[in-house]
């Protein structure tokens, strides 16, 4: 278990950095926080709260006791994703798991003082590690929601969801140690999520009962409640390609060494050493484990993106990442990629 002070230091290092993104929630239901390079931000660094808020949303963390950071990488499309999951033990992560729309009263824990008189409603989506709520001061919406309290939100004939979408209240996702708030409007069902902070609530994915994407190798017994997504070496926050950033690559590899799975890190080091030595692809056997395959493919893609002189690299890619070599994408592209680790940039 990582000491709370170490985790606070990790969060302190990334909250001021606009290149770092955050999300909080469960598989199929997430709130994401990000900000533009020059966007005004209020940073809070107090004993009881570490937070970053803008006019569009915010992320905040409170008691970090028991939280375990876990770093991982996975191949996706023709690139790779990386993230640090902030996990709790399965027995300690559970929230209220309400199954009907429920009024909770004024939101005294709101990240911004001006929002603390807003009325918080739990949407009743019965998710393990997160309470998915909305917050509003609008009398009309409050009345509509109070009339629907005690009923499942998606029950036939329940008009509460239509009222929520029309009004676009704040969305507030709450876990045992933090919360993410989104102040931007809710897009229509056929609309596109706005740039910047936004939420996804996808009932089809939520019905799977999974707590995280299948491509994320979270250790047994832990449940990811939030994620930190540091700057990526080859794409920006919107997933658009960028020139290879060696500094961003090194920074995440340092985090991977500290917080990643020891076996996957050893595999990565073995591959890097073998390629650098000019060894043939047979120097590393084809991994049978899904997560090891992802780690190997991510490693080879990082080497290719770095642009270094490695004559034997194409043979390694052909042997261990055939779909990437053919331009078809990785094995797990598709449903898992679309919601990879809660909607990380891809």
């Amino acid at each position: 278990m990582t000491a709370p002070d170490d985790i606070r230091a990790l969060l302190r290092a990334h909250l001021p950095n606009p290149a770092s993104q955050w999300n909080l929630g469960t598989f199929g239901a997430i709130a994401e926080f990000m900000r533009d390079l020059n966007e005004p931000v209020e940073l809070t660094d107090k004993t009881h709260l570490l937070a970053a808020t803008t006019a569009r949303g915010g992320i905040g963390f409170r008691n970090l006791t028991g939280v375990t950071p876990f770093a991982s990488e996975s191949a996706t499309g023709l690139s790779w994703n990386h993230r640090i999951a902030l996990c709790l033990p399965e027995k300690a992560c559970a929230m209220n798991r309400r199954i009907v729309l429920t009024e909770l009263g004024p939101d005294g824990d709101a990240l911004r003082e001006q929002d603390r008189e807003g009325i918080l409603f739990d949407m009743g989506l019965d998710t393990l590690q997160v309470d998915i709520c909305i917050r509003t001061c609008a009398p009309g919406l409050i009345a509509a929601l109070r009339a629907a309290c005690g009923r499942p939100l998606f029950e036939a004939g329940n008009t509460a969801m239509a009222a929520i979408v029309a009004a676009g209240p704040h969305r507030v996702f709450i876990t045992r140690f933090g919360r993410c708030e989104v102040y931007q409007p809710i897009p229509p069902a056929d609309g596109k999520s706005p740039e910047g902070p936004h939420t996804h609530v996808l009932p089809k994915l939520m019905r799977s009962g999974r707590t995280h994407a299948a491509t994320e190798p979270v250790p047994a017994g832990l449940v990811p409640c939030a994620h930190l997504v540091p700057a990526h070496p080859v794409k920006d926050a919107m997933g658009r390609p960028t020139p290879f950033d060696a500094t961003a690559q090194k920074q995440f590899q340092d985090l991977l060494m500290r917080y990643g799975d020891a076996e996957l890190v050893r595999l990565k080091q073995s591959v890097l050493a073998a390629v650098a030595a000019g060894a043939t692809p047979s120097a590393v056997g084809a991994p049978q484990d899904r997560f090891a395959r992802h780690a190997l493919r991510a490693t080879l893609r990082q080497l290719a993106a770095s642009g270094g002189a490695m004559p034997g690299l194409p043979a390694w890619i052909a042997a261990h990442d055939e779909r990437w070599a053919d331009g078809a994408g990785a094995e797990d592209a598709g449903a898992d990629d679309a919601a990879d680790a809660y909607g990380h940039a891809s």
Side-chain angles (χ1 to χ4, degrees):
M1 184 181 297
T2 307
D5 286 347
D6 290 341
I7 301 172
R8 288 179 66 85
L10 173 67
L11 301 183
R12 277 198 185 103
H14 287 271
L15 281 169
N17 186 351
S20 294
Q21 302 174 61
W22 308 81
N23 64 63
L24 186 149
T26 189
F27 186 71
I30 60 167
E32 300 186 61
F33 174 74
M34 59 201 73
R35 61 187 176 92
D36 295 338
L37 179 62
N38 297 315
E39 184 173 5
V41 60
E42 181 177 346
L43 298 171
T44 302
D45 188 344
K46 298 180 179 179
T47 303
H48 67 284
L49 178 65
L50 290 174
T53 56
T54 69
R56 299 188 293 170
I59 185 81
F61 301 97
R62 296 187 185 277
N63 185 356
L64 297 167
T65 302
V67 176
T68 297
F70 179 74
S72 64
E73 300 174 318
S74 57
T76 178
L78 298 179
S79 183
W80 72 94
N81 283 343
H82 67 212
R83 80 290 288 173
I84 298 177
L86 302 176
C87 306
L88 282 175
E90 188 172 356
K91 293 182 179 180
C93 75
M95 293 297 289
N96 293 283
R97 304 206 69 167
R98 300 181 181 94
I99 60 174
V100 295
L101 184 67
T102 304
E103 181 177 350
L104 304 179
D107 187 10
D109 290 328
L111 296 178
R112 304 185 304 182
E113 185 174 355
Q114 67 260 39
D115 296 321
R116 292 173 190 164
E117 295 302 315
I119 304 300
L120 199 64
F121 291 84
D122 188 318
M123 296 175 71
L125 300 184
D126 188 24
T127 45
L128 174 63
Q129 70 266 48
V130 59
D131 286 345
I132 300 172
C133 305
I134 57 172
R135 183 178 62 217
T136 182
C137 291
L141 181 58
I142 291 172
L145 295 178
R146 283 175 173 165
C149 279
R151 299 173 59 190
L153 190 63
F154 295 108
E155 179 184 64
N158 192 342
T159 60
M161 191 64 194
I164 291 169
V165 172
H170 293 177
R171 277 81 75 213
V172 182
F173 283 44
I174 307 169
T175 69
R176 287 293 173 192
F177 59 83
R179 61 164 54 200
C180 187
E181 303 183 359
V182 175
Y183 314 139
Q184 298 202 97
I186 301 174
D190 58 350
K192 181 180 178 182
S193 295
E195 293 187 7
H198 60 276
T199 56
H200 296 287
V201 176
L202 306 171
K204 182 178 179 181
L205 294 182
M206 293 169 64
R207 283 194 292 270
S208 72
R210 292 187 349 216
T211 60
H212 57 281
T215 51
E216 188 177 7
V218 176
L222 292 180
V223 174
C225 301
H227 289 82
L228 158 63
V229 185
H232 197 280
V234 296
K235 53 190 175 183
D236 65 13
M238 300 303 297
R240 296 173 295 222
T242 59
F244 182 75
D245 185 336
T247 299
Q249 174 67 6
K250 182 182 185 306
Q251 287 174 343
F252 189 79
Q253 296 313 303
D254 290 344
L255 293 170
L256 189 66
M257 290 286 290
R258 182 171 185 180
Y259 299 119
D261 179 274
E263 289 296 325
L264 297 180
V265 170
R266 278 194 286 271
L267 171 63
K268 180 164 200 165
Q269 296 304 311
S270 296
V271 172
L272 292 171
V275 174
T280 64
S282 61
V284 174
Q288 300 304 306
D289 175 80
R290 173 185 208 169
F291 302 128
R293 290 195 297 271
H294 270 277
L296 175 53
R297 291 169 181 166
T299 300
L300 296 177
R301 294 175 187 193
Q302 290 161 13
L303 287 173
S306 70
M310 291 165 282
L313 183 59
W316 280 80
I317 291 173
H320 294 292
D321 199 356
E322 181 179 351
R323 294 193 182 188
W324 186 87
D326 293 340
E331 168 190 300
D332 292 300
D336 275 339
D337 183 34
D340 180 36
Y342 310 73
H344 293 163
S346 60

